[in-house]
Structures are given as C-alpha cells and as structure tokens.
C-alpha cells in the first residue's frame, strides 16, 4: 500500500515537472514565433555591402545604340513610367506580396540614378544591391549578360536619349504584405559580383551564340522555365523545366499569362513550327494560328535576323520537354 502511494506520488510529481517543462518549451516557441513575425514585419530591409568594381565606361555611339536596343526592350518592361521615360511605375500589385514600384532610371540626381557611378550601376545590375545597400530583389540580377552588353546599357543610361533625361517622378515606398516581407527580408539574397569577366561567344558559333542570347542578353529562359523561384541563374540549364514553359506571369495592369513551352517538342512545344513562324512570334507577338500573344511576352522587334536565327538554332538543340502549358 505504502509502496503504491509512493509510486503514485512520484508519477504525479514527475508529470507535474514534465508539464512544467512542456509549458516552458511551448512558451519559448510562442516567443520565438512572435519574435520572428515581429522581425519580419517591422525590421528594416537588410542592407548589404556595395563593393563596386573598378570600372569606367567609354560611352561611344555604338554602345549607346546597342544599349538603347537592350534597355528599351528589357528594362522598359518594368521601368517605363507614365511620362514615357524610364521613370518607374507600379510594378507588382497583389494580395500575396503587396505593392512594389520600380525605380526611376532617369538622370535626375535625387529622384533618379544621377548620382550612381558607372561602377555602381554595374554592381547593381549584377548583384541586385542598390547604391544605398538595399536589395532591389531577385528580378534585378543580370548574371549572364556580357560585360560589353552591360557597358552598352550603362552608356545608354548616361546618354542624351529622351527616355533617360531627368524626370522628377518619385515612387512611393513599397507596401509589402507579411509574405512579401518574409520573402524579401529572409528568403531571397543578392548574388556576388562575378569574379571573372563575362564574355559573349562569337556570332560565328551559332548555337553557342544562341545560348548566350537565350540565357543572357534577352533572358528568354527566365520567363520560359517552370518558375522564377526554381531558376538557376549560374547554370540556366539546371533550372526546373528549362524552357518548358508554365511560369505564371502577371503585371500590375491586370494582364496575366502562362509562359509557353519553347522546347522542340512537336506537340506541346514549338517543334512543328517553321523558323519564319518563330520569327513572327518573337518579333511581333503573332502566333502561327493568327492569335496575338499576351503583352507579357514582350515583342522583341529589335532582334536582328542574325540573332533570331541563332536563337532558333539553339532552341532546336535543347532537350524537348513534353509539357502542355495550355492544359487546364
Ligand atoms: C522584372 C522587373 C524589372 C526589370 C526587367 C528591370 N528592373 Fe530594375 N528594378 C526593378 C524594381 C522593382 C526596382 C526597385 C526595387 C526597390 O525599390 O528596391 C528596380 C531597381 C533598379 C535600380 C536601382 C535604382 C535605385 O534607385 O537605386 C536600377 C539601377 C535598375 N533597376 C536598373 C535596371 C536596368 C538597367 C534594367 C534593364 C537592363 C532593369 N533595371 C530591369 C524591377 C526591374
Ligand atoms: C518577360 C517574360 C518573357 C520573356 C523575357 C520572353 N518571353 Fe516568350 N513568352 C512569354 C509569355 C508569358 C508567353 C505566352 C504568351 C501567351 O500565351 O499569349 C510567351 C510566348 C512565347 C512564344 C509563343 C509560343 C507559343 O506556343 O505560343 C515564343 C515563340 C516565345 N515566347 C519566345 C521567346 C523568346 C525566343 C524569348 C527571348 C528572345 C522570349 N520568348 C522571352 C514571356 C516571355
């Protein structure tokens, strides 16, 4: 009897202790979760070191012209302002991430990027880290474009082109949701500045040149693989569903579309297309069936014949993926 009493007491005492410990653990967890939530919501955006390279760009007219061709195809997509300059605008507006505005890229010293040096611009475009140390986001890291093409973009931003003359437009600070904050503060990180020069292959090597255009200069792969989150910027071919489409895209103006499968699969890709049909689609947004492509496929009228032909040749060489993006 005594022994049973003793045993029961001991068990009860043990349970009390265990409950207490469990209580502390639970409390600790709640504190950690609340702390993390408060951090995500309230902490300022993290800043990163700006290690701009030693670089000065000679803005000759060939570079300005080439930079114009690239910037007015690739940067306008996010940076076009209502005044027709590259003065920035609302860029993302949804319930998931919240509101984000793109920056004013005109030469205005305060509202725009007038105070950036060439080197700081190169650093921002490669790493995503702005001059003030804040991270602009993973969509602002141009990893694979060649140093020469990057120099051309910078020469254009510095030129007397009307699109980059000072505009006073200032964008409001972003209004991120909890998820948006978590994403930008914790989940995505800038990339390091490349250690080696980034060179483009010669156009004479058609397939290698086509690969460069698809993965570097015109960024086809980043929209046309499975999702931005699973893209591999350093080794594009390792991106999930490389060029197989299915990436859901939308803009702040209510357009939405799913990117197309541009691998050579005959049924679900562009394997049954001719080069002429492909050229029509890329340059003018016209499909072989006569339908117009969504504005989320930026019409690339400025692509030269040599470029479209190299891109076509390269796309014939990538593995075909069976992925019907138009299926429900
Ligand atoms: C997918 C959308 C997108 C594309 C494409 C894009 N940008 Fe941006 N860029 C942004 C957003 C959004 C910001 C602002 C982020 C912020 O405020 O932190 C930004 C910020 C910048 C900044 C920093 C400006 C500052 O005030 O510090 C520079 C410089 C810049 N972009 C240049 C370019 C150039 C040049 C191109 C074309 C080669 C380009 N961007 C293409 C979305 C984009
Ligand atoms: C900013 C994202 C984006 C970029 C960059 C982009 N595309 Fe697209 N592309 C799309 C979207 C979205 C569609 C689907 C449009 C639709 O369904 O109306 C599409 C459709 C196409 C189509 C039509 C295919 C079909 O079956 O209808 C072709 C061809 C194509 N893109 C080729 C290219 C090439 C080549 C490049 C690079 C030179 C490129 N795209 C760059 C987003 C992009």
């Amino acid at each position: 009897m005594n022994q049973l009493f003793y045993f029961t007491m001991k068990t009860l005492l043990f349970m009390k202790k265990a409950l207490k410990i469990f209580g502390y653990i639970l409390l600790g967890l709640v504190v950690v979760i609340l702390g993390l939530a408060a951090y995500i919501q309230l902490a300022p955006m993290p800043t990163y070191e700006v290690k701009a390279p030693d670089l000065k760009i000679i803005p000759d007219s060939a570079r300005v012209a080439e930079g114009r061709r690239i910037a007015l195809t690739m940067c306008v997509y996010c940076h076009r302002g209502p005044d027709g300059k590259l003065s920035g605008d609302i860029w993302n507006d949804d319930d998931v991430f919240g509101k984000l505005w793109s920056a004013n890229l005109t030469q205005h010293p305060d509202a725009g990027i007038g105070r950036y040096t060439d080197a700081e611009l190169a650093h921002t475009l490669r790493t995503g880290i702005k001059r003030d140390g804040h991270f602009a986001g993973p969509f602002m890291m141009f990893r694979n474009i060649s140093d020469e093409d990057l120099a051309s973009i910078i020469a254009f931003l510095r030129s007397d082109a009307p699109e980059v003359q000072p505009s006073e437009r200032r964008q409001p600070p972003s209004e991120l949701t909890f998820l948006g904050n978590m994403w930008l503060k914790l989940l995505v990180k800038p990339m390091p500045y490349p250690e080696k020069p980034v060179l483009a292959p010669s156009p004479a090597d058609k397939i290698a040149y086509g690969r460069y255009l698809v993965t570097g200069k015109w960024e086809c792969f980043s929209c046309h693989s499975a999702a931005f989150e699973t893209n591999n910027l350093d080794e594009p071919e390792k991106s999930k569903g490389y060029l197989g489409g299915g990436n859901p895209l939308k803009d702040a103006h209510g357009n939405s579309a799913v990117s197309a499968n541009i691998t050579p699969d005959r049924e679900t890709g562009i394997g049954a297309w001719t080069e002429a049909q492909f050229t029509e689609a890329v340059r003018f947004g016209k499909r072989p069936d006569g339908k117009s492509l969504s504005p989320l496929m930026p019409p690339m009228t400025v692509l030269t014949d040599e470029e479209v032909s190299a891109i076509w040749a390269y796309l014939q060489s990538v593995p075909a993926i069976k992925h019907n993006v138009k299926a429900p």
Side-chain angles (χ1 to χ4, degrees):
M1 197 64 197
N2 236 351
Q3 220 170 11
L4 186 65
F5 176 74
Y6 179 70
F7 183 72
T8 316
M9 273 318 280
K10 217 174 148 188
T11 316
L12 276 176
L13 270 175
F14 173 75
M15 275 179 65
K16 214 171 134 195
K17 212 166 165 186
L19 267 174
K20 215 164 153 187
I21 292 174
F22 180 70
Y24 280 132
I25 291 177
L26 205 69
L27 190 72
L29 265 176
V30 169
V31 168
V32 167
I33 290 172
L34 282 181
L36 198 67
Y39 169 79
I40 288 172
Q41 199 64 0
L42 302 174
M45 282 291 164
T47 54
Y48 302 88
E49 199 186 342
V50 178
K51 279 190 265 171
D54 183 17
L55 178 112
K56 180 87 189 87
I57 284 154
I58 300 163
D60 58 45
S61 59
R63 276 188 171 153
V64 171
E66 184 59 4
R68 176 185 184 84
R69 207 167 73 90
I70 305 172
L72 294 188
T73 302
M74 301 300 289
C75 319
V76 280
Y77 180 65
C78 297
H79 284 279
R80 183 191 284 118
D83 56 8
K85 298 181 179 177
L86 288 178
S87 58
D89 202 356
I90 179 90
W91 172 66
N92 189 72
D93 183 3
D94 62 27
D95 299 337
V96 185
F97 289 118
K99 290 188 181 167
L100 262 174
W101 282 264
S102 66
N104 179 338
L105 300 187
T106 70
Q107 292 160 8
H108 193 284
D110 308 307
I113 56 167
R115 290 189 212 280
Y116 266 84
T117 62
D118 292 351
E120 285 167 342
L121 274 174
H123 186 260
T124 298
L125 293 172
R126 290 281 191 217
T127 63
I129 303 170
K130 298 193 286 185
R131 183 173 184 265
D132 65 8
H134 286 287
F135 182 36
F139 33 82
M140 270 291 311
M141 299 183 294
F142 300 93
R143 302 290 302 163
N144 303 316
I145 194 162
S146 71
D147 291 336
E148 180 50 39
D149 284 332
L150 197 74
S152 294
I153 295 174
I154 294 171
F156 170 71
L157 293 174
R158 302 267 186 239
S159 72
D160 56 9
E163 295 85 357
V164 290
Q165 295 318 300
S167 160
E168 303 231 353
R169 279 178 45 77
R170 278 166 218 269
Q171 323 301 331
S174 54
E175 294 168 25
L176 297 172
T177 59
F178 182 73
L179 252 173
N181 268 304
M182 185 157 91
W183 182 67
L184 263 182
K185 286 179 190 170
L186 290 182
L187 300 181
V188 289
K189 292 275 174 270
M191 302 282 273
Y193 194 83
E195 280 164 21
K196 288 187 244 142
V198 186
L199 304 171
S202 149
D205 189 349
K206 202 167 175 181
I207 291 189
Y209 186 59
R211 177 187 179 277
Y212 167 66
L213 300 174
V214 166
T215 58
K217 191 165 189 169
W218 304 109
E219 294 258 345
C220 320
F221 100 94
S222 77
C223 290
H224 279 281
S225 302
F228 291 117
E229 304 87 86
T230 46
N231 279 349
N232 185 329
L233 299 187
D234 280 329
E235 294 170 273
E237 287 85 349
K238 291 194 179 157
S239 303
K240 192 173 162 205
Y242 181 61
L243 300 175
N247 190 354
L249 301 172
K250 59 180 173 41
D251 64 18
H253 308 291
N255 300 306
S256 64
V258 172
S259 70
N261 180 347
I262 56 171
T263 70
D265 184 65
R266 289 191 70 82
E267 281 137 38
T268 62
I270 57 170
W273 292 29
T274 65
E275 184 170 347
Q277 288 171 330
F278 175 74
T279 308
E280 269 302 284
V282 176
R283 282 224 182 104
F284 306 112
K286 274 263 166 307
R287 284 178 47 100
D289 60 12
K291 286 204 197 104
S292 291
L293 292 172
S294 152
L296 287 163
M297 164 68 204
M300 299 188 163
T301 39
V302 297
L303 261 61
T304 63
D305 292 344
E306 187 182 47
E307 283 176 317
V308 182
S309 175
I311 292 174
W312 173 254
Y314 170 67
L315 290 177
Q316 303 299 298
S317 78
V318 306
I321 294 180
K322 205 164 269 310
H323 181 201
N324 189 357
V325 299
K326 294 186 179 83

